[in-house]
Structure formats: structure tokens, C-alpha cells
Amino acid sequence: MAETNVDRFDPGRDGWIDETLGHVRYGLRGKVLEDRHSALQRVTVVHTEAYGNALLLDGRWMTAERQERHYHEALVHPALCSAERIERVLIIGGGDGGTARQVLRHPSVEQVDMVEVDAVVVELCRRHLPDLGGDGWHDPRLRLSVGDGIAWAEQAAAASYDVVLVDGSDPAGPAEGLFNRSFFQHCRRLLRPGGVFATQSESPEAFRQLHIAMVRLLRELFGHADPLYGWVPMYPSGWWSWTFAALDGPRYRIARPERAAVVAAGCEIWSPRWQEGGFIAMAAGIARALDA
Ligand code: SPD
């Protein structure tokens, strides 16, 4: 993939904070609240005029208070509304808390293991973007571990989770290992029968080749995998995808009405109707590439 040039990342100097990707910049007006170098990456929190407080990792936009639901609702609810059971959920990444909050809105969930590699991300998000995790941070069902999610996936018992969600950054730096065959094979191994796997799968425009390669690989490994298309305007190109996979058929395409009914009224973006359209709305060129 084209690399964001973190060395050129110069947040807020002229009132603009830009993610640079190749020959394109994706910017928001704002000011820097904190800019830290953790042991793993540069962690920047800014106040943006358009979307409230926002997080960048190594100069890449991750989330913002008034845009996080585009991303987190899309990652979580298709999986949580379709798996056979949803008692045990694993989140790899997700240190801002937004994925956990959406998962915990499902009352059948009994335990959520969240494995975030960078404690600084959790610390700064809890301080500056507290509503992303919201009550989830205090929910006794949430077990937060700071550590390597790839090692967790390797070491956890087979068939130990109903749903596995990967909420990482782009494939550079600490998130690089969240995109390869070995990691996905372990995620498949962790699924209970009737389980569902989901991962953010990048932009079909800004990361076209990576997106296509991910869908192909997940189809090969799980037997069933399909991308859901939506939008996160602050991300490169704004056009985004999440890919869902299962071993026993494309169960993730259909939201169970009784589960959907519990969460839909509180959603900003997701609904069974939105989800149905998002799975159908594959661009013709991507469909041709996947068929080839
Ligand atoms: N290019 C941005 C990809 C970000 C994916 N993860 C976002 C984390 C939100 N919890």
C-alpha cells in the first residue's frame, strides 16, 4: 500500500491537520490537544472544527467523536446480529472504545475480550474522546488487555469465540500483522460453530489492491466472505469497507430481527436495510476483479 508520510505530518501548524497518502491529502481544520510518541507509534489527538475531538496514529485518521459511528456500527452490528450465539466476543485493537461500546449494546453478550496493543491509545482516548467507549469502559463484561492481539489470536483456545472483530489501523507499524494469512487462519480457528469474523478492509479506491487481496484471502480461508461498503468521510477517499466471513455460509448478510430490534433505534448509520444495500453495492470493477 502507499505509505502515509508520517515525517511530513505537521499537525495544526497552519490550522489544518492532514493525512498524506501518495499525492493526496485528507485534511480537517483544527488544533492539537496532545501529540505523543508511544513505544509503538505517534499518537495524536486533535480538536477538529467539523467532527469534534479526533485521533490519529502515525499521522493517519482513526476516528472522531462525530464520525465514529459510520465505522463502528458497520463493523459490529452485521456480525453481532448474525452469529449463531454472541456470548463471547473478541476485539483485536479497538483501543478507542467505540467497537466495544457497540458490542456491549447487545444484551446477549456475556464477555468481551479486547486486546489493544498500545496503552497510550486507550489513555488518550479515555481522556479526550470518552464518549466513544462511554459506559462500556465500566461494563463488567469488558476485559481489556494491553498486549499483542496477534499473539492472543495464536494462543487462545480453538473455538473459543462466537464473534471475532479486528479493529486495527492500516497495514503499517503495529497493525501490519493484522492483514496476513497466518493471522486470519488463527482468527478462523478461534470461531465457534456458527461464528462470524469481521475486519475493516480498507478503501476500494485508496487501497484498491489491498482491499481486493483481503477479500480474496478471506474467501479462500473461510469459504464465505463478503465486503460491506459504506463511507467514513475523514478516511482516504471516504469510501470504506468491512469484510465479514463465516465457515457455514454467508450468515452475516442477514440480520436477525430480534437482535436488530434491540440496537437499531440507537444507531446513526446501521440498520438491516442499510446493511443489505451495503453488501449489494459492490462497484462493478471490484466485482470483476474478484471474479477474475
Ligand atoms: N485508514 C484508517 C483505518 C482505520 C481503521 N481503524 C479505525 C479505528 C477505529 N476504532
Side-chain angles (χ1 to χ4, degrees):
M1 67 180 287
E3 291 286 330
T4 297
N5 187 347
V6 70
D7 296 331
R8 285 163 58 193
F9 180 59
D10 191 9
R13 205 170 154 174
D14 57 358
W16 284 91
I17 293 121
D18 290 330
E19 173 175 348
T20 304
L21 186 68
H23 302 289
V24 189
R25 293 191 304 187
Y26 301 92
L28 293 170
R29 272 190 64 82
K31 64 171 193 251
V32 176
L33 301 178
E34 285 204 52
D35 193 16
R36 299 248 298 263
H37 286 86
S38 75
L40 297 166
Q41 59 199 342
R42 186 171 177 180
V43 185
T44 311
V45 176
V46 300
H47 176 74
T48 71
E49 293 168 15
Y51 303 129
N53 290 355
L55 170 73
L56 302 101
L57 297 180
D58 281 345
R60 302 177 181 92
W61 292 110
M62 289 294 125
T63 196
E65 287 175 311
R66 292 199 293 277
Q67 205 168 99
E68 56 98 10
R69 296 169 70 159
H70 296 64
Y71 175 94
H72 294 121
E73 291 178 9
L75 176 68
V76 170
H77 298 308
L80 271 286
C81 288
S82 65
E84 181 71 30
R85 297 186 299 170
I86 54 173
E87 283 89 355
R88 287 178 52 82
V89 178
L90 173 63
I91 302 170
I92 295 179
D96 55 60
T99 291
R101 188 179 95 252
Q102 294 297 334
V103 168
L104 291 163
R105 292 179 59 215
H106 290 268
S108 305
V109 169
E110 293 175 359
Q111 181 177 324
V112 182
D113 290 333
M114 182 163 100
V115 189
E116 164 59 48
V117 73
D118 195 339
V120 175
V121 171
V122 177
E123 179 197 333
L124 294 198
C125 288
R126 292 191 72 163
R127 183 179 311 143
H128 295 289
L129 296 89
D131 291 345
L132 264 72
D135 293 340
W137 290 121
H138 309 290
D139 192 312
R141 295 175 293 168
L142 179 65
R143 300 183 183 186
L144 169 63
S145 302
V146 173
D148 180 0
I150 298 161
W152 186 285
E154 287 169 4
Q155 289 157 18
S160 53
Y161 291 101
D162 299 302
V163 175
V164 175
L165 303 171
V166 181
D167 179 15
S169 182
D170 303 306
E176 200 164 355
L178 302 179
F179 292 81
N180 65 40
R181 175 179 290 268
S182 158
F183 172 68
F184 291 142
Q185 281 172 327
H186 279 291
C187 292
R188 181 188 63 186
R189 187 182 62 80
L190 297 185
L191 281 188
R192 284 173 165 171
V196 173
F197 169 80
T199 181
Q200 74 93 359
S201 49
E202 303 287 336
S203 163
E205 197 273 344
F207 306 111
R208 180 187 167 96
Q209 293 313 321
L210 172 61
H211 169 69
I212 291 168
M214 286 182 78
V215 177
R216 281 198 182 127
L217 180 56
L218 292 169
R219 283 183 172 170
E220 179 196 329
L221 296 177
F222 286 80
H224 305 273
D226 289 300
L228 167 71
Y229 295 100
W231 50 90
V232 185
M234 67 195 294
Y235 288 175
S237 87
W239 184 17
W240 213 253
S241 76
W242 302 261
T243 295
F244 297 82
L247 292 160
D248 62 348
R251 57 167 53 247
Y252 43 78
R253 293 186 81 108
I254 308 293
R256 293 181 173 207
E258 73 280 9
R259 298 231 191 104
V262 175
V263 294
C267 284
E268 182 68 25
I269 301 294
W270 181 87
S271 69
R273 172 175 148 162
W274 180 87
Q275 171 180 320
E276 191 180 346
F279 274 121
I280 292 169
M282 180 181 283
I286 299 286
R288 275 195 298 274
L290 285 169
D291 284 345

